[in-house]
Amino acid sequence: MKSGTITKVAGPLVIAEGMRDANMFDVVRVSEQRLIGEIIEMHGDRASVQVYEETSGLGPGEKVESTGMPLSVELGPGLIGSIYDGIQRPLNEIMKVAGTNLKRGVDVPSLDHNKKWKFTPSASIGDKVNSGDVIGTVQETSAVLHKILVPNKISGTIESIKEGEFTIDEVVATVKTDNGAEDIKMFVTWPVRNGRPYKKKLSPDILLTTGQRPIDTLFPLAKGGVAAVPGPFGSGKTVVQHQLAKWAAADIIVYIGCGERGNEMTDVLNEFPELKDPRTGNSLMERTVLIANTSDMPVAAREASIYTGITIAEYFRDMGYTVALMADSTSRWAEALREMSGRLEEMPGEEGYPAYLGSRLAQFYERAGRVIVNGTEDTEGALSVIGAVSPPGGDISEPVSQATLRIVKVFWGLDANLAYKRHFPAINWLTSYSLYTDQLENWYKENAAPDFMELRGRMLALLQDEAELEEIVNLVGMDALSAPDRLKLESARSIREDYLHQNAFDATDTYTSLKKQVLMMRTILSYYDKALDALNKGADIELLVNIPVRERIGRFKYEEENNVDNEYESIQSQLNSDIDDVLKRSDD
């Protein structure tokens, strides 16, 4: 053990001298209470330590011991369904040990080392294996088959492998390598600040389907992509993330509550076990890992929570799964960086944030991606990251939002005005964007509809025209508009209210398949086309705006998935007869 003594305590920052043998990012134990900390700066034998627990009562002269190991997480069976704090301490287990009044210095292993798991080998004695190869599986929950991988930097021939029930500390296989025999257990530890290796990164050209119409149609996220959800208080960030956790085409969900208010995190902890997983019908927690790091927990642990979460997510990606990581919110994480930077007396950047804010955010987001994972076979895994940003007062010109926007490819800008009008999801279609659209064009053609991008483009154009016409209406009133412009306004209103508005709490409307999205777009646009054609033939705009079929177009989103084709055909035939009827009445 390499130990020194405290010379200064400033909030979560502790300065210790006599630490010459310690290294950067070593985990240390501070004082007799054995508080967990991490070295974040070294000057000779003087170490600056960020402490992940409350430091009140600490004083100069107390001991600081280095463990000689970087901050690491335990990866193995038992992760799914767990609730951790920012440094992967299991909150349920801590409560059993310490009760509801959390004491400092509690040391509980991240995974249960006593529980036995049924290990089923998938490799045999004599097989040649490389790091990343699957040697066996554990059925962790009904939804997740946990694959046991050959650890990093180990390759050779399997000498022994056993089937049966084992704890994660027991050896399940032995691999003969060039440097002797290596024992393989069911868990590994991994330093959180280092990304897990892979063979090759792939192009983001497959859609991560979410069933949310504004996202899938207008501002899509690719598998392995990165998205930001900025929005002011009350604009529905958390509901958007809950919807994505439940409906996105991901096998595993990692949800990081980073510095959010305690009651909001409590909602997540209460709701996730009760959310029904649409794939299995069981609890959503059977494929979820939660990291709860509320605003009243020590600020320094927020900084680690993001890395803890993404390392766990990478571990499941390496098994060949599609993983979605929700970080709520990176603004609170940046505040932790600002706090520590101030304590270290570094030169501040804009609004007091450290000058390296942008590069730290980039290091986090670039760990996302669709990749070919390590191993003999070319297995594909994907890790998509959705980061919520909470700009003060919803002002996205502040540094965290701006640094995030320079990195991410999808921006779902939540709008307080839309939220006040009860338009959810409150994604503003005029300010949001997705830079994956061009790469996804072929995917849409093959998997949704050949003319999908054309339909999408026409809808966006109508919404854009509506915004310009609204300004004229506000100045001189609706009467000043020509009949074709009034029709544009009505069609755009239909897009907004019937298509982009989606009720997360309605059993049918909460999820819309791509097939249904295409039919809904066609329905709205065919109304616009046929009504415009009728206008050119002399039809009355008032009659066209009020034709009976419009109510059915509005109700189409509540149609069950198995009946959408019939309903679409029925609406089209009623649309034709209603338009013909208007033309006859106009002629009269």
Side-chain angles (χ1 to χ4, degrees):
M1 281 273 189
K2 303 132 184 174
S3 63
T5 51
I6 295 176
T7 57
K8 177 184 170 187
V9 179
L13 179 71
V14 166
I15 309 289
E17 289 187 345
M19 305 285 291
R20 188 172 295 281
D21 293 335
N23 298 311
M24 271 286 281
F25 299 123
D26 274 4
V27 171
V28 296
R29 292 290 186 167
V30 179
S31 83
E32 295 301 313
Q33 296 178 1
R34 313 224 8 103
L35 309 184
I36 298 176
E38 183 184 20
I39 296 174
I40 53 172
E41 206 172 73
M42 290 289 294
H43 292 290
D45 70 341
R46 194 158 145 254
S48 300
V49 176
Q50 72 175 355
V51 181
Y52 292 132
E53 299 184 72
E54 182 58 52
T55 56
S56 58
L58 289 187
E62 295 192 63
K63 198 162 70 164
V64 175
E65 286 181 0
S66 168
T67 61
M69 296 282 293
L71 183 65
S72 301
V73 288
E74 290 186 347
L75 303 169
L79 283 171
I80 298 290
S82 297
I83 301 165
Y84 293 113
D85 72 354
I87 46 177
Q88 212 207 4
R89 292 182 302 179
L91 295 176
N92 288 342
E93 295 306 311
I94 288 177
M95 197 173 83
K96 288 176 193 169
V97 173
T100 47
N101 295 327
L102 219 59
K103 297 181 183 70
R104 294 187 290 178
V106 176
D107 195 8
V108 178
S110 303
L111 297 174
D112 188 339
H113 287 248
N114 299 319
K115 181 173 179 178
K116 287 189 179 283
W117 298 92
K118 186 172 187 330
F119 174 75
T120 308
S122 57
S124 312
I125 293 171
D127 285 358
K128 279 196 164 30
V129 290
N130 294 313
S131 61
D133 282 347
V134 179
I135 58 159
T137 56
V138 170
Q139 191 69 51
E140 190 170 349
T141 67
S142 62
V144 177
L145 185 68
H146 196 114
K147 299 171 186 175
I148 306 300
L149 309 174
V150 177
N152 196 34
K153 296 182 180 170
I154 292 179
S155 60
T157 311
I158 294 182
E159 269 192 335
S160 72
I161 189 161
K162 298 181 276 192
E163 182 170 1
E165 298 204 342
F166 307 100
T167 65
I168 58 172
D169 287 321
E170 292 179 75
V171 175
V172 293
T174 312
V175 173
K176 185 181 180 185
T177 70
D178 296 343
N179 306 320
E182 292 275 0
D183 290 340
I184 296 180
K185 299 175 181 177
M186 285 196 281
F187 86 108
V188 292
T189 56
W190 191 268
V192 296
R193 294 183 190 278
N194 299 349
R196 284 176 64 86
Y198 50 81
K199 274 193 204 167
K200 179 185 170 192
K201 210 163 204 171
L202 302 171
S203 171
D205 52 15
I206 295 175
L207 179 73
L208 180 75
T209 51
T210 64
Q212 310 306 301
R213 294 188 293 272
I215 292 174
D216 285 354
T217 304
L218 298 187
F219 313 112
L221 174 62
K223 253 187 198 177
V226 286
V229 194
F233 175 75
S235 58
K237 288 190 294 294
T238 308
V239 175
V240 167
Q241 293 206 317
H242 282 203
Q243 282 293 89
L244 295 176
K246 186 173 180 181
W247 293 108
D251 305 307
I252 311 284
I253 303 296
V254 179
Y255 192 100
I256 308 168
C258 174
E260 285 302 299
R261 293 180 310 286
N263 58 346
E264 210 164 283
M265 208 57 226
T266 308
D267 283 349
V268 173
L269 299 182
N270 287 335
E271 282 172 25
F272 266 55
E274 289 180 13
L275 281 179
K276 228 177 182 187
D277 184 353
R279 296 171 172 214
T280 60
N282 299 334
S283 164
L284 191 62
M285 279 304 286
E286 292 201 358
R287 57 184 180 96
T288 303
V289 183
L290 285 180
I291 293 169
N293 198 260
T294 57
S295 51
D296 56 352
M297 290 181 175
V299 72
R302 286 185 208 172
E303 202 265 335
S305 65
I306 290 267
Y307 296 108
T308 300
I310 201 154
T311 306
I312 292 170
E314 285 176 332
Y315 173 64
F316 285 107
R317 175 207 70 192
D318 289 349
M319 296 179 197
Y321 288 125
T322 298
V323 187
L325 180 135
M326 320 286 164
D328 187 12
S329 86
T330 50
S331 298
R332 307 281 169 262
W333 173 76
E335 283 166 13
L337 282 185
R338 178 167 65 182
E339 164 105 3
M340 292 312 297
S341 176
R343 301 276 185 196
L344 290 165
E345 297 172 6
E346 294 171 341
M347 183 69 81
E350 196 182 344
E351 288 191 26
Y353 288 102
Y356 47 77
L357 170 68
S359 65
R360 286 283 178 89
L361 271 169
Q363 283 167 11
F364 165 65
Y365 279 113
E366 73 182 7
R367 286 171 72 170
R370 191 166 68 92
V371 301
I372 300 289
V373 299
N374 278 352
T376 310
E377 292 178 15
D378 283 353
T379 306
E380 195 180 293
L383 166 53
S384 312
V385 175
I386 296 123
V389 185
S390 312
D395 173 23
I396 63 162
S397 65
E398 55 89 44
V400 183
S401 302
Q402 288 302 309
T404 305
L405 289 185
R406 284 197 287 274
I407 300 157
V408 301
K409 300 282 193 298
V410 178
F411 170 72
W412 298 320
L414 300 183
D415 190 321
N417 291 332
L418 286 173
Y420 292 144
K421 291 174 186 168
R422 291 285 172 265
H423 178 108
F424 291 108
I427 296 172
N428 186 321
W429 47 88
L430 299 173
T431 56
S432 304
Y433 60 82
S434 168
L435 301 180
Y436 293 120
T437 316
D438 292 345
Q439 286 160 296
L440 292 169
E441 189 167 347
N442 287 334
W443 190 92
Y444 276 123
K445 275 181 184 164
E446 289 165 20
N447 297 279
D451 58 343
F452 189 94
M453 297 309 280
E454 185 194 333
L455 295 170
R456 173 187 178 274
R458 290 189 59 203
M459 277 180 46
L460 276 171
L462 276 170
L463 291 168
Q464 193 70 49
D465 289 346
E466 181 199 33
E468 291 164 13
L469 291 170
E470 284 286 351
E471 290 179 21
I472 298 169
V473 171
N474 290 339
L475 283 171
V476 292
M478 185 70 83
D479 296 341
L481 291 185
S482 66
D485 282 347
R486 269 204 65 191
L487 182 63
K488 261 186 193 169
L489 278 184
E490 281 298 322
S491 303
R493 183 166 73 90
S494 190
I495 293 170
R496 280 190 289 108
E497 294 177 4
D498 305 336
Y499 193 84
L500 297 179
H501 181 280
Q502 189 166 359
N503 186 350
F505 301 102
D506 182 272
T508 308
D509 197 31
T510 183
Y511 177 89
T512 309
S513 68
L514 276 176
K515 175 188 171 184
K516 185 173 169 184
Q517 289 182 38
V518 170
L519 294 179
M520 286 177 72
M521 285 196 282
R522 289 213 170 112
T523 307
I524 293 168
L525 290 170
S526 65
Y527 162 72
Y528 174 69
D529 290 340
K530 285 171 180 168
L532 188 61
D533 186 46
L535 265 186
N536 295 333
K537 290 175 180 167
D540 185 323
I541 182 66
E542 288 296 335
L543 295 175
L544 285 171
V545 165
N546 295 308
I547 56 176
V549 75
R550 291 199 66 200
E551 193 179 329
R552 283 187 70 189
I553 293 172
R555 284 206 313 268
F556 191 22
K557 59 183 174 185
Y558 299 114
E559 197 63 43
E560 295 288 343
E561 290 281 347
N562 56 9
N563 195 41
V564 288
D565 285 325
N566 295 339
E567 182 65 7
Y568 172 72
E569 295 299 335
S570 172
I571 287 175
Q572 288 297 329
S573 76
Q574 189 185 337
L575 177 59
N576 289 332
S577 67
D578 280 2
I579 296 273
D580 289 343
D581 189 39
V582 168
L583 282 169
K584 276 183 199 148
R585 287 165 67 187
S586 300
D587 288 343
D588 296 343

